Amino acid sequence: MDFELPSEIDQIRDEIQRFGENEIKPVANEYDREEKYPQEVMDKAAEMGLMGAQIPVEYGGAGYSMLEAAIISEEMFAIDPGIALCLQSASFGADAIMEFGTEDQKEEYLEPIGKGEAVMGAAISEPHAGSDVSSISTEAEKDGDEYVINGNKMWITNGSVGDFFVVLCQTDPDAEGRYNGFSQIIVESDRDGFEADKITGKLGIRASDTAELIFDDVRVPEENLVGTPGMGFLQQMQFFDDTRTGVAAQGVGLARGAAERALEYAQEREQFGQPISEFQAIQHKLAEMFTDIEAARNLTYKAAWSVDQDEQITKLASMAKEYASRVAVDVANEAVQIHGGAGYVDDFDVERFYRDAKILQIYEGTTEIQKNIIGRELLGKGLS
């Protein structure tokens, strides 16, 4: 068993750390307070080739493996989760096009993402269909050589800044079987009848854009269909092992960022004539925080490595996502506690990390859904 990572990973880490120190840290609070999309940071990241991490090189991306992408995610989220999510989510939905798209679709939609010339999103959740994806009601009706789409999508990352979206729709409401009759269709944001309503007032990751999407007789050509008609739900489910492993990596990074700041503060803050790091209570907190992070990292890296080996890792991915997101919330909480009153205001990064952490237990499948999946897999039950 070899835990050594390739030397090029260290080079990637160094590059991201430099970019984070110079371009992200100085403005992180500003974008969080203003709930503003960091377009200036995105442009600079594109110049450095930090966009489209897993998009193949031939389509303008970096072509990183899942393990490499997980390490990049950890580094970015340790700097600032909000802006990090913007950088990583620019290619949300690209997996579907990479796996099931035509060559024309790959060239048209993937290349601008990798070059930083466009932003995309995946539109799945709806106001009344979150964890229960099979209950979506957005419909795409065939009309000649076009699809006419009607419905609403909710909590869509990049919703009001995206150039196009991979939208999960009902295309055959009468199809037999709970998971049949859905299709994935690419919808450009400049189509007539498309509207995005930005969601504000979020607890955390405020730099990341979130919106409700409204489709009112939106017409798209049939060549915008991704993959096989009626198989969109099952196609989408294939990527949860990847995306949940990715969220686990986000959790590791967020937890590490919060813990490192707490460690630094504990060595600087003095009470009763000595740094608070000298008190056993603080040392125990730090010990537990860094131990939990190491455990979450190893679980996450194992899941990422297994994805690269094309293994079926539904249980492992859910374990990594559930555990790493829980560690992120717990560590961020303790980081604020170590800071005391100073951690309750946004003069210190841990206040922002604390707010940002909670979403990790919600998106890409809630904690409860992950436990359901783990239990189902342990009992040998699949989708039915």
Side-chain angles (χ1 to χ4, degrees), residues 8-318:
E8 54 266 27
I9 291 293
D10 290 329
Q11 297 174 359
I12 296 170
R13 275 179 165 154
D14 290 343
E15 182 180 355
I16 291 172
Q17 287 172 359
R18 284 194 299 271
F19 182 81
E21 287 292 331
N22 295 330
E23 307 295 344
I24 297 178
K25 273 191 176 182
V27 298
N29 257 349
E30 172 191 344
Y31 285 107
D32 176 76
R33 289 192 190 105
E34 297 181 11
E35 301 187 45
K36 185 174 68 171
Y37 188 73
Q39 188 60 59
E40 296 87 349
V41 180
M42 300 289 287
D43 293 340
K44 292 175 182 177
E47 292 175 5
M48 294 185 62
L50 297 179
M51 309 298 290
Q54 289 185 273
I55 293 176
V57 174
E58 59 266 34
Y59 299 113
Y64 291 134
S65 67
M66 187 67 226
L67 179 57
E68 290 170 329
I71 292 171
I72 291 170
S73 181
E74 177 185 337
E75 292 300 324
M76 287 186 174
F77 271 72
I79 298 166
D80 176 64
I83 294 178
L85 184 59
C86 296
L87 293 169
Q88 292 199 307
S89 69
S91 58
F92 269 8
D95 285 344
I97 298 176
M98 286 190 287
E99 182 69 22
F100 302 109
T102 64
E103 189 62 29
D104 287 344
Q105 288 174 341
K106 292 175 183 178
E107 292 177 359
E108 181 175 357
Y109 297 108
L110 296 182
E111 290 187 7
I113 301 298
K115 295 176 181 177
E117 297 172 354
V119 169
M120 67 180 297
I124 302 173
S125 296
E126 298 183 359
H128 302 291
S131 296
D132 185 7
V133 176
S134 63
S135 292
I136 67 165
S137 58
T138 296
E139 289 189 351
E141 184 177 353
K142 195 73 180 298
D143 182 20
D145 58 358
E146 293 181 316
Y147 284 101
V148 182
I149 303 174
N150 285 282
N152 291 53
K153 294 293 182 179
M154 195 66 169
W155 313 116
I156 306 305
T157 300
N158 298 329
S160 71
V161 299
D163 297 282
F164 51 88
F165 301 86
V166 176
V167 183
L168 187 64
C169 307
Q170 273 195 357
T171 49
D172 185 4
D174 299 323
E176 294 184 2
R178 184 179 179 186
Y179 306 110
N180 296 323
F182 301 94
S183 301
Q184 298 185 94
I185 299 172
I186 300 170
V187 180
E188 297 87 351
S189 59
D190 58 359
R191 296 273 176 186
D192 290 340
F194 177 95
E195 182 182 345
D197 186 10
K198 181 179 174 66
I199 296 170
T200 60
K202 293 185 299 182
L203 175 68
I205 57 165
R206 292 177 176 174
S208 175
D209 182 80
T210 309
E212 178 181 9
L213 304 186
I214 301 161
F215 303 88
D216 183 8
D217 285 338
V218 177
R219 289 181 171 269
V220 299
E222 61 183 353
E223 55 262 32
N224 280 27
L225 174 74
V226 179
T228 305
M231 298 298 290
F233 179 91
L234 298 175
Q235 290 169 356
Q236 185 61 238
M237 294 302 105
Q238 295 185 36
F239 301 119
F240 276 129
D241 288 352
D242 295 36
T243 57
R244 286 169 178 162
T245 299
V247 174
Q250 295 174 10
V252 174
L254 190 153
R256 196 190 92 199
E260 288 174 348
R261 287 159 173 81
L263 176 61
E264 181 180 0
Y265 183 83
Q267 295 174 89
E268 295 174 351
R269 171 68 167 168
E270 291 190 2
Q271 288 289 278
F272 304 102
Q274 62 181 343
I276 64 172
S277 60
E278 295 298 316
F279 294 106
Q280 188 180 65
I282 299 299
Q283 292 178 9
H284 283 189
K285 286 182 184 295
L286 292 168
E288 291 175 0
M289 291 159 72
F290 280 90
T291 299
D292 288 345
I293 291 167
E294 190 63 28
R297 179 183 291 112
N298 278 279
L299 181 56
T300 298
Y301 283 13
K302 180 181 179 182
W305 179 85
S306 298
V307 168
D308 290 333
Q309 308 310 307
D310 291 324
E311 296 180 4
Q312 204 283 330
I313 65 154
T314 297
K315 178 179 68 177
L316 182 60
S318 287

